Every structure is written in structure tokens, then in C-alpha cells.
Amino acid sequence: MSSPMTAAAPEPRADGIRIRRATGADSRRLTAMARRSRAYEGHYAAMVAGLTVGPVYIETHRVHVATDADGTPLGFYALLLDAAELDLMFVADRAQGLGIGRLLIDHMTAEAREHGLDTVRVVSHPPAEGFYRAVGAARTGTVPADPPVVGWPRPELHFRLTPEG
């Protein structure tokens, strides 16, 4: 039984934003959003330069996309159920500051609970740590650098989930 948040055709919010399960057809747009993210400019660019959010990845994992009233992607996340990990999360540069990130995190935690997870790990992009902490994640450690792509340590955080939210 699907919850309203994970139903095949979710109802749009008053502002027209909806979150739906991504499909292989979203691959190019989600890949472009990640690769063009201003959060990964400069020395962080190497992390997303070769990133591809391909159709197989989308079909294999719990990838959800937030869209506006016209169906244009505003952000997305990928939840790896087996690893209990938020693998990817991006908000389009033009949608920064509109609450899309918080909306996606709320959806992700509901999705994780629905699948029986009690915690979700996040290895954060260093500048995003403040966001994750603001939406309820707690820092639990540091993941060491992994050159050549990741030349800096990254914060490790966890969302601790309770059945009631």
C-alpha cells in the first residue's frame, strides 16, 4: 500500500510543486542539474564532472524528483535502501532558497520509514553540512579524503528516524 507521498500520481501542492518517482526519461535533466550545480564550482568540480544519473541507476534506486507546475525538475534525491544512505541530493540553482531541499528531505525520511529504515546516512558535500543539520541530521564523523576525485574530508551525518516522525 502506497502512502500519499509515494503514490504513482501525487497531488500537487498549492504552489504546483509535486514530488514523484523519477524515470529513466529524467536521466539527462538530473545529470545536467548535478553537473551544473554552483555548489560544485572550483576545486569541488571534480566530484560531479563525470557524474551520470543514468536510467539504470534511477530504476535501481529510490530516486525522486521535485517538479514545478510545468513538470520542470527543481531538485532530486536518491535513497539507497540496502545501504540506508542518501546517495545524491541536488536542488537546481534557480530553486535554491525556496524550500525544495527541506521538502525533498521530508519526503526522503518518509520514504525511508516506509521501507523500515530507522537511520539514513549522509556523506555530505562540505558546504552542505549546515543544511543537513538544519533539517535534522546529526554529525557522526568524518569520511577521509579519497583522491583524486575527492581531495578533502567530508562530514558524515545521520538522520535518526522514529516511527512517528
Side-chain angles (χ1 to χ4, degrees):
M1 179 178 197
S2 292
S3 74
M5 296 187 85
T6 59
E11 291 297 316
R13 296 167 9 132
D15 56 9
I17 296 170
R18 69 173 65 211
I19 296 179
R20 63 169 173 78
R21 183 83 186 262
T23 69
D26 293 311
S27 174
R28 290 178 57 190
R29 292 170 103 178
L30 301 185
T31 295
M33 183 187 305
R35 288 184 181 178
R36 294 180 184 146
S37 174
R38 284 190 312 245
Y40 287 88
E41 291 178 331
H43 71 281
Y44 293 125
M47 283 189 70
V48 295
L51 178 69
T52 300
V53 185
V56 172
Y57 180 90
I58 290 170
E59 292 167 13
T60 304
H61 302 295
R62 305 296 296 183
V63 181
H64 285 81
V65 58
T67 62
D68 65 13
D70 296 325
T72 303
L74 301 173
F76 72 96
Y77 75 85
L79 175 63
L80 308 182
L81 293 175
D82 290 345
E85 184 167 354
L86 178 63
D87 188 42
L88 298 172
M89 171 131 170
F90 287 88
V91 173
D93 291 338
R94 71 178 183 85
Q96 296 285 325
L98 301 178
I100 304 302
R102 183 174 293 276
L103 185 64
L104 287 167
I105 290 294
D106 289 347
H107 189 277
M108 182 276 300
T109 56
E111 181 84 1
R113 277 188 208 93
E114 183 176 308
H115 285 88
L117 301 180
D118 58 7
T119 186
V120 174
R121 177 181 186 240
V122 179
V123 177
S124 177
H125 178 46
E129 178 182 5
F131 165 75
Y132 287 116
R133 292 177 71 158
V135 295
R139 184 159 184 169
T140 55
T142 301
V143 174
D146 187 14
V149 176
V150 183
W152 49 89
R154 291 166 293 154
E156 178 180 18
L157 303 103
H158 281 84
F159 286 96
R160 306 270 183 229
L161 310 176
T162 59
E164 65 280 349

